[in-house]
Amino acid sequence: AQKVTQAQTEISVVEKEDVTLDCVYETRDTTYYLFWYKQPPSGELVFLIRRNSFDEQNEISGRYSWNFQKSTSSFNFTITASQVVDSAVYFCALNSETSGSRLTFGEGTQLTVNP
Amino acid sequence: GAVVSQHPSWVICKSGTSVKIECRSLDFQATTMFWYRQFPKQSLMLMATSNEGSKATYEQGVEKDKFLINHASLTLSTLTVTSAHPEDSSFYICSAGSGQEISYEQYFGPGTRLTVT
């Protein structure tokens, strides 16, 4: 069985602070993909990133960056200089050889960025 | 990216009635579609996987007779909540992909908010 754990249920920061959202995953497969999604109050899931298990390079996209470490089974997400518009629930997810394209989601982290 | 739509965006129905939710892939052929349910302040829980032209595969604990899924074409899947009750009130989200293998990406619809009174 596979599992995704997002230990931080809620995080509150002040605008312009950096914030890191943690994601720890479990899978027995060697081939898997990790994802991050943003869910604003409207409810629609916004795709942020998809990372293959064989690619451990960190990625940066504007104010967003991701740190993938297989040694600790973690795929953490950092927002630099947070903005009020970043307020949302963020989900980490996983699929693998065994699950195919079926995704397993973490419980989500509610991020609130205060002005 | 690929576009997936859902209709309706929100629906209110009376207890005991049935409601149908549509999920459409607008610009690609969706061999596989997934249906998720999300209760307030909770994560997405996969309900079922449907492949075009075949019966849906339901996750453990999901009532097949209550949540009827039809995937009759490569662009449309429907979820019918039969004899709805207040506890079925939830946010239902579909996603669509070109296949079930790990390499295929999923594209999510905007969701349908169901309220049963």
Side-chain angles (χ1 to χ4, degrees):
Chain A
Q2 53 192 37
K3 186 179 178 181
V4 176
T5 302
Q6 295 179 254
Q8 305 150 307
T9 305
E10 297 182 17
I11 299 176
S12 182
V13 299
V14 176
E15 207 169 18
K16 298 185 182 177
E17 283 185 18
D18 298 347
V19 58
T20 295
L21 283 60
D22 297 333
C23 173
V24 174
Y25 63 92
E26 295 176 29
T27 179
R28 293 180 181 174
D29 294 330
T30 55
T31 302
Y32 52 89
Y33 284 91
L34 294 162
F35 302 77
W36 275 95
Y37 291 90
K38 173 182 180 180
Q39 188 177 42
S42 65
E44 183 165 2
L45 282 178
V46 177
F47 168 83
L48 297 178
I49 190 170
R50 178 187 189 226
R51 176 49 54 88
N52 184 295
S53 57
F54 298 107
D55 181 4
E56 281 194 77
Q57 278 194 337
N58 292 332
E59 178 143 348
I60 298 174
S61 176
R63 296 185 297 107
Y64 295 168
S65 62
W66 291 268
N67 183 279
F68 177 26
Q69 292 196 342
K70 290 177 76 169
S71 61
T72 56
S73 297
S74 65
F75 187 45
N76 297 337
F77 172 36
T78 297
I79 302 175
T80 303
S82 60
Q83 299 176 2
V84 172
V85 293
D86 295 327
S87 297
V89 180
Y90 290 86
F91 289 100
C92 181
L94 163 76
N95 68 353
S96 68
E97 294 169 281
T98 303
S99 69
S101 54
R102 293 166 66 246
L103 289 170
T104 298
F105 284 84
E107 292 302 310
T109 297
Q110 170 70 61
L111 173 65
T112 302
V113 181
N114 299 296
Chain B
V3 180
V4 177
S5 70
Q6 279 186 244
H7 178 80
S9 301
W10 57 270
V11 57
I12 301 173
C13 70
K14 291 188 176 180
S15 188
T17 62
S18 295
V19 61
K20 181 184 286 186
I21 302 170
E22 293 185 348
C23 177
R24 292 182 184 273
S25 57
L26 300 184
D27 51 4
F28 70 102
Q29 293 188 327
T31 306
T32 303
M33 287 186 172
F34 302 89
W35 286 95
Y36 296 84
R37 180 167 56 182
Q38 184 181 29
F39 291 110
K41 297 190 182 297
Q42 293 188 23
S43 186
L44 283 75
M45 296 301 297
L46 180 65
M47 299 174 67
T49 303
S50 72
N51 290 297
E52 184 266 338
S54 59
K55 290 185 178 180
T57 302
Y58 290 81
E59 296 297 305
Q60 195 170 7
V62 177
E63 300 175 59
K64 301 178 184 181
D65 295 332
K66 182 168 188 61
F67 299 100
L68 301 179
I69 292 172
N70 183 284
H71 192 165
S73 78
L74 286 171
T75 59
L76 174 65
S77 176
T78 60
L79 166 68
T80 301
V81 183
T82 62
S83 186
H85 291 285
E87 57 265 30
D88 298 323
S89 298
S90 187
F91 191 54
Y92 292 87
I93 306 173
C94 74
S95 68
S98 300
Q100 287 200 78
E101 290 71 36
I102 185 177
S103 57
Y104 290 105
E105 294 190 52
Q106 285 186 49
Y107 302 95
F108 284 86
T112 296
R113 201 165 298 279
L114 170 63
T115 301
V116 184
T117 61

